Amino acid sequence: MTTMENEARLILDLTEGFIKSQILFTSLKLGIFDLLDTSAGPMTASRISEAIRTDTDATKRLLDACAGLGLLQKVNVDKETGDGEYQLTRASRAFLTSSSPTNLGGYVKVFSSFYKFPWADLRKAVKEGPAFVTRQNQDNTSDIFKIFFSNQILMDAMTGLPTVFGAKTASAFDLSEFRRMCDIGGCTGPLAYHLAAAYPKAAVSVFDLSEVVKVAEDRRPVGEHGQRVSFIPGDFFRDPLPPADLYVVCRTLHDFTEDKVLTLLTKMHDSLPLGGGVLIAEYMLDDDKTGPEVAHKYDLHMFLTGGDRERSGQEYKRLLTMVGFTEVTVRSSSYPLGHVLARKAPKYSARL
């Protein structure tokens, strides 16, 4: 391709991107991936359409589109008619089936709802600014967090990413010196279990709302590392933090304004022993705010959904330093999250 053709393709790929999303959203909502997961073998379009009660021709077009996107594999194809059978790919079996421990289906379903609102109103939101978000939140919910945790799909969305990518957070720094780790707002513990597996000498806890803790036990994995994670109910703004020498906050600080972030970081600093640390995992912007793409997408998403914003490593370093943390190290290059580790400096006695 010429340079002009490549540049045109970039624009067209962005223009048509919503079509790919809708193919995925629709296939998931229709139950196609779970149906193939429980099937004894590949299935024809007519069998799938009969099982999910849809039009056969439209279903075949959707299945072929899934195969073209790498969501399904088409096998036993008739060279004359193009008809064949469909089965899961390794990716769809791992991330789009209810039976998989790394299922991202809940996360995908949540975004299929956000596609209609508030993302469809992005133009209006950009014109109106915070007034748009305030009005929409008042119209749709008085307490977004209570609704969030009362919905099973949304709970699945919270746990999907750290289940898949939590090992990267656990290994972003050598945390072996910390013996009491507490995941603040850690939901049902997916990241905590990765921490427990990576650091067998550490006691790991999760501090989250009582509504979350009530269902956490049902999601405890088998194995020794699963038994070393405990759950403590509480509100991290209102209640004292559990004792720990390392606090972990993953995809939490972007929900709050700078004042609230400073309040929470101060609370962590005051609760830590000397030499203790805080590990932050967030979608992290480059210092010049030109990337990465994933952080910019979620920066707008935070704005639209009533959160606050994504921040750069330097912005987190400034906030941490303001409340007294030192030795702040930023590692922002991993996908999807960047990481920051900071310590509470020992207090040296004045010279006599």
Side-chain angles (χ1 to χ4, degrees):
M1 283 190 180
T2 66
T3 300
M4 176 174 278
E5 288 173 334
N6 281 326
E7 292 172 346
R9 181 170 181 173
L10 169 65
I11 301 303
L12 292 174
D13 283 345
L14 291 171
T15 301
E16 299 158 357
F18 76 96
I19 298 175
K20 297 179 182 180
S21 297
Q22 288 291 63
I23 292 168
L24 171 58
F25 296 159
T26 300
S27 301
L28 188 66
K29 288 181 178 179
L30 288 173
I32 289 172
F33 303 111
D34 278 342
L35 174 64
L36 289 171
D37 186 39
T38 57
S39 172
M43 297 179 67
T44 62
S46 59
R47 285 182 58 206
I48 292 172
S49 107
E50 181 181 0
I52 62 176
R53 299 181 180 180
T54 54
D55 178 80
T56 302
D57 179 63
T59 302
K60 181 178 181 298
R61 295 175 188 231
L62 178 63
L63 293 169
D64 284 341
C66 284
L69 291 176
L71 298 173
L72 294 177
Q73 183 179 14
K74 192 172 183 179
V75 296
N76 303 322
V77 180
D78 186 307
K79 293 182 179 180
E80 295 293 329
T81 65
D83 293 336
E85 297 177 307
Y86 303 87
Q87 63 187 21
L88 296 175
T89 63
R90 185 171 63 179
S92 58
R93 187 178 298 279
F95 303 121
L96 295 173
T97 60
S98 299
S99 65
S100 172
T102 55
N103 179 30
L104 293 175
Y107 190 82
V108 175
K109 286 179 181 177
V110 166
F111 269 82
S112 70
S113 299
F114 286 141
Y115 174 80
K116 299 176 183 177
F117 171 83
W119 273 99
D121 290 330
L122 178 60
R123 183 190 63 85
K124 184 185 294 186
V126 171
K127 288 176 71 71
E128 298 181 8
F132 168 86
V133 180
T134 300
R135 184 177 69 255
Q136 295 300 329
N137 284 345
Q138 289 174 344
D139 291 345
N140 288 279
T141 173
S142 59
D143 190 340
I144 192 170
F145 290 107
K146 287 184 179 179
I147 289 178
F148 197 92
F149 288 117
S150 66
N151 189 307
Q152 185 65 40
I153 293 176
L154 288 167
M155 184 77 77
D156 290 341
M158 281 287 289
T159 59
L161 284 187
T163 298
V164 176
F165 294 103
K168 296 180 75 172
T169 295
S171 62
F173 299 93
D174 182 359
L175 306 174
S176 57
E177 67 183 277
F178 300 109
R179 296 306 174 90
R180 293 182 301 169
M181 303 178 180
C182 182
D183 187 354
I184 303 297
C187 201
T188 55
L191 176 54
Y193 293 125
H194 281 294
L195 290 167
Y199 302 101
K201 295 182 179 180
V204 183
S205 62
V206 174
F207 187 58
D208 213 321
L209 301 174
S210 58
E211 301 96 305
V212 179
V213 172
K214 288 177 183 177
V215 301
E217 193 62 39
D218 293 336
R219 299 182 176 220
R220 186 182 294 275
V222 297
E224 183 271 339
H225 72 280
Q227 299 306 310
R228 289 191 293 106
V229 175
S230 60
F231 291 86
I232 304 169
D235 184 313
F236 49 68
F237 280 117
R238 297 179 182 178
D239 301 320
L241 300 181
D245 55 8
L246 177 73
Y247 290 121
V248 180
V249 274
C250 178
R251 294 191 306 151
T252 297
L253 299 182
H254 67 180
D255 288 324
F256 302 110
T257 62
E258 183 168 298
D259 287 346
K260 286 198 169 185
V261 170
L262 286 171
T263 296
L264 184 54
L265 291 178
T266 298
K267 194 170 185 178
M268 293 180 188
H269 184 272
D270 292 346
S271 300
L272 284 167
L274 301 180
V278 58
L279 174 63
I280 296 171
E282 292 283 0
Y283 302 105
M284 203 162 295
L285 292 162
D286 294 339
D287 291 337
D288 63 3
K289 305 293 180 70
T290 61
E293 177 186 321
V294 64
H296 284 293
K297 288 187 291 190
Y298 281 97
D299 187 43
L300 277 172
H301 188 66
M302 286 295 102
F303 167 64
L304 287 169
T305 56
D308 191 57
R309 64 179 63 246
E310 304 303 340
R311 298 176 173 89
S312 68
Q314 285 302 310
E315 286 174 316
Y316 279 116
K317 186 173 183 177
R318 177 180 62 83
L319 294 170
L320 289 159
T321 302
M322 285 175 65
V323 302
F325 284 103
T326 61
E327 297 181 43
V328 181
T329 305
V330 178
R331 293 181 180 168
S332 57
S333 59
S334 65
Y335 177 90
L337 304 177
H339 300 91
V340 182
L341 179 65
R343 296 177 181 276
K344 179 176 181 177
K347 296 179 180 179
Y348 298 101
S349 58
R351 292 184 180 179
L352 296 177

